[in-house]
């Protein structure tokens, strides 16, 4: 208790001193006081080299500006990049470098660490300086062709600065690194030291092959199974339920080979296969069946025009047709005169009337809540409906879905305990940068 009051007293005293300094014009003194209080200033030689910690670490984050989970993601991307293209990218996030200019600081640090492979000079340093609100890229000689200064600047402006402005350094840095890796993967960059052949497709297919080979066999079995099931489902839906013309018409009007896009599972092979099967094998058969008269078996069913069909529809069907709540089509056999009726209900605002069974019951009052939805129970609301066909009035009820509790799963801190404990046996696994030199290229953006 005593400690707390003492602390707050000290805080007040310090604030008063700051105000005093500003007020009396000793601006520099005030700045220095402020500085010493909040910010640690780094020199080039002070910045911890991430390669000393582990060979899969590319991020120097001594002030914990970036969240651990994002650092992990960035490290993954950069390790993969080094694996496939041997390019070394270092990320440095510092709260302050004092009065130093970030671009100069970045190039000095680049040289100091020797980022990039020695033979290729294929390094990149991304420096974030918080108090100056600046992000800087420094590129090695070998990367200036694929990462020209203008492109660096564009990546900063488009991918990083918008997040940095919102003080979301995690997202800004991650998006920036992602953009850089995409540019590098998409370019025809190839390190001299790794391969002398300039066959881009070979290296691209190697990368793809490595990626495919790295997936677990269970995932492949699962994906194939999902694809086979999807294909079977699609094919079954394209088969008319029986030999009648009506069943074939239903398939023709309702079936779509690609159907809904399934985003969660990659079932494109199944959808494409089903689509090809339908187009080249099934469709003509279904069309033929849809034209075959169930009565005389002649291929002579014809869709009647609106004028011819309307008198054959009941008053109720005509009403549905007019309201657009159902589609009615009438086919007639030109050989024996047999008539086929096809009805398809269309999603609309109309409900089916209980009295006359016409889909023409329309809501005429707003929904009124009878019972509020809670976190544990669904609610209930009512509204009045009027049938436009027979004039019958009724009250309809519908459920209000249960409330979902506010989401509480933010990025977990479960990793945080491992922040500095990765040193067990790290002496053997630690790496270093490859000795590349900075080319003086790069770009800086303020945010
Ligand atoms: Zn017929
Ligand atoms: Zn009715």
């Amino acid at each position: 208790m005593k400690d707390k009051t003492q602390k707050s007293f000290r805080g007040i005293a310090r604030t008063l001193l700051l105000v005093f300094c500003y007020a009396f014009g000793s601006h520099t003194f005030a700045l220095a006081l402020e500085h010493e209080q909040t910010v640690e200033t780094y020199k080039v030689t002070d910045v911890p080299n991430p390669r000393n910690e582990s060979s899969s670490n590319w991020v120097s984050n001594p002030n914990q500006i970036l969240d651990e989970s994002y650092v992990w993601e960035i490290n993954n991307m950069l390790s993969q990049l080094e694996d496939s293209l041997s390019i070394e990218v270092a990320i440095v996030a510092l709260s302050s470098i004092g009065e130093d200019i970030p671009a100069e600081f970045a190039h000095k640090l680049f040289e100091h660490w020797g980022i990039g492979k020695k033979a290729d000079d294929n390094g990149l340093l991304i420096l974030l300086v918080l108090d100056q609100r600046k992000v800087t890229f420094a590129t090695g000689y070998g990367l200036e062709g694929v990462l020209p200064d203008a492109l660096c600047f564009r990546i900063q402006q488009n991918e990083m600065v918008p997040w940095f402005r919102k003080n979301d350094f995690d997202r800004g840095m991650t998006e920036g690194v992602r953009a850089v890796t995409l540019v590098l993967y998409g370019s025809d960059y190839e390190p001299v030291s790794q391969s002398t052949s300039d066959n881009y497709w070979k290296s691209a297919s190697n990368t793809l092959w490595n990626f495919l080979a790295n997936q677990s066999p269970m995932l492949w079995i699962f994906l194939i199974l999902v694809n086979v099931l999807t294909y079977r489902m699609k094919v079954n839906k394209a088969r008319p339920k029986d030999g009648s013309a009506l069943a074939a018409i239903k398939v023709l009007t309702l079936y779509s080979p690609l159907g809904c896009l399934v985003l969660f599972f990659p079932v494109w092979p199944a959808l494409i296969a089903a689509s090809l099967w339908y187009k080249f094998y099934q469709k003509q058969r279904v069309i033929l069946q849809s034209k075959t008269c169930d009565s005389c078996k002649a291929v002579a069913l014809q869709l009647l025009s609106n004028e011819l069909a309307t008198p054959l529809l009941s008053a109720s069907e005509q009403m549905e047709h007019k309201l657009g709540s159902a589609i009615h089509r009438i086919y007639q056999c030109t050989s024996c005169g047999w008539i086929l009726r096809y009805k398809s209900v269309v999603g609309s605002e109309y409900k089916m009337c209980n009295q006359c069974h016409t889909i023409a019951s329309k809501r005429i009052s707003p929904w009124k809540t009878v019972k509020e939805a809670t976190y544990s129970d669904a609610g209930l609301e009512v509204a009045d409906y009027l049938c436009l066909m027979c004039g019958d009035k009724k009250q309809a009820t519908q459920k209000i879905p249960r409330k979902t509790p506010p989401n509480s799963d933010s990025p977990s801190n479960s990793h945080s305990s491992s922040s500095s404990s990765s040193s067990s046996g790290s002496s053997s696994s630690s790496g270093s940068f490859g000795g590349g030199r900075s080319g003086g290229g790069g770009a800086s953006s303020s945010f």
Side-chain angles (χ1 to χ4, degrees), residues 38-100:
T38 54
V39 179
E40 191 179 353
T41 303
Y42 281 88
K43 296 259 159 287
V44 168
T45 45
D46 298 338
V47 183
N49 186 334
R51 311 299 294 152
N52 289 341
E53 199 178 302
S54 118
S55 64
S56 58
N57 192 27
W58 305 93
V59 182
S60 186
N61 185 30
N63 307 115
Q64 312 295 322
I65 292 166
L66 303 173
D67 186 81
E68 183 119 347
S69 59
Y70 285 89
V71 170
W72 184 82
E73 193 183 341
I74 291 172
N75 274 329
N76 265 349
M77 288 193 277
L78 295 182
S79 290
Q80 228 167 54
L81 183 72
E82 201 232 3
D83 270 353
S84 44
L85 292 178
S86 92
I87 293 171
E88 298 184 343
V89 180
I91 308 297
V92 177
L94 300 174
S95 47
S96 174
I97 56 170
E99 304 287 306
D100 284 359

Side-chain angles (χ1 to χ4, degrees), residues 140 221 383:
I221 293 168

Side-chain angles (χ1 to χ4, degrees), residues 352-361 386-392:
M352 186 183 281
C353 165
N354 290 335
Q355 292 300 314
C356 66
H357 303 293
T358 309
I359 306 173
S361 199
L386 172 73
C387 175
L388 299 181
M389 187 67 206
C390 70
D392 182 55

Side-chain angles (χ1 to χ4, degrees), residues 293 295-297 333 335-338:
C293 170
S295 175
C296 72
K297 302 296 170 205
C333 175
S335 165
C336 72
W338 181 73

Side-chain angles (χ1 to χ4, degrees), residues 79-371:
S79 290
Q80 228 167 54
L81 183 72
E82 201 232 3
D83 270 353
S84 44
L85 292 178
S86 92
I87 293 171
E88 298 184 343
V89 180
I91 308 297
V92 177
L94 300 174
S95 47
S96 174
I97 56 170
E99 304 287 306
D100 284 359
I101 298 162
E104 283 175 12
F105 189 94
H107 286 290
K108 279 184 204 153
L109 185 59
F110 191 114
E111 297 277 328
H112 180 60
W113 282 351
I115 306 167
K117 300 286 180 274
K118 197 160 191 167
D120 298 310
D121 287 324
N122 54 357
L124 168 68
L125 172 72
I126 300 181
L127 171 68
L128 172 69
V129 181
L130 211 54
D131 66 343
Q132 296 195 32
R133 299 195 75 80
K134 274 225 154 96
V135 58
T136 299
F137 286 18
T139 51
Y141 282 117
L143 283 189
E144 283 175 357
V146 285
L147 271 180
D149 299 355
L151 181 57
C152 293
F153 185 69
R154 194 147 26 105
I155 291 173
Q156 291 166 356
Q157 289 297 320
N158 294 345
E159 311 296 333
M160 308 176 89
V161 166
W163 295 107
F164 288 165
R165 284 204 177 122
K166 295 181 211 159
N167 289 327
D168 192 342
F169 304 107
D170 295 321
R171 281 297 295 274
M173 191 58 87
T174 312
E175 295 307 322
V177 169
R178 197 188 317 280
V180 165
T181 55
L182 285 179
V183 166
L184 294 175
Y185 284 127
S187 71
D188 52 4
Y189 175 81
E190 207 173 347
V192 186
S193 56
Q194 276 206 331
S195 152
T196 44
S197 94
D198 51 340
N199 188 339
Y200 164 66
W201 286 110
K202 199 176 140 205
S203 83
S205 74
N206 276 345
T207 311
L208 182 67
W209 178 248
N210 284 340
F211 172 77
L212 294 178
N214 278 334
Q215 307 306 312
S216 90
M218 283 311 289
L219 180 73
W220 287 113
I221 293 168
F222 173 72
L223 280 182
I224 290 169
L225 203 69
V226 169
N227 272 282
V228 168
L229 289 176
T230 307
Y231 176 78
R232 290 288 296 274
M233 188 187 80
K234 279 276 156 195
V235 161
N236 281 339
K237 279 199 172 158
R239 292 202 170 104
K241 288 215 167 56
D242 50 48
S244 70
L246 187 61
I249 290 170
K250 275 186 183 160
V251 169
L252 279 181
T253 48
L254 299 178
Y255 180 75
S256 94
L258 288 176
C260 65
L261 304 181
V262 185
L263 293 173
F264 298 108
F265 300 111
V267 292
W268 306 110
L271 293 180
I272 291 165
S275 169
L276 292 176
W277 170 84
Y278 183 71
K279 187 172 179 197
F280 293 110
Y281 177 79
Q282 180 72 352
K283 197 171 183 182
Q284 293 310 314
R285 298 173 144 220
V286 180
I287 288 175
L288 184 69
Q289 186 181 329
S290 75
K291 289 179 176 166
T292 307
C293 170
D294 289 356
S295 175
C296 72
K297 302 296 170 205
V299 184
L301 276 185
Q302 264 189 357
L303 179 65
L304 293 187
S305 67
N306 260 342
E307 298 87 81
L308 288 172
T310 308
L312 298 173
L313 294 174
S314 68
S316 153
E317 288 168 339
Q318 286 184 31
M319 174 63 86
E320 288 174 347
H321 204 80
K322 205 177 87 191
L323 296 175
S325 60
I327 291 169
H328 292 278
R329 285 189 197 151
I330 295 185
Y331 296 81
Q332 189 168 32
C333 175
T334 52
S335 165
C336 72
W338 181 73
I339 278 185
L340 172 71
R341 291 163 179 275
Y342 169 75
K343 173 183 179 177
S344 169
V345 175
V346 181
S348 70
E349 56 178 314
Y350 300 98
K351 290 189 170 205
M352 186 183 281
C353 165
N354 290 335
Q355 292 300 314
C356 66
H357 303 293
T358 309
I359 306 173
S361 199
K362 192 186 179 187
R363 184 161 61 85
I364 52 168
S365 78
W367 287 104
K368 264 200 309 260
T369 306
V370 179
K371 185 176 157 245

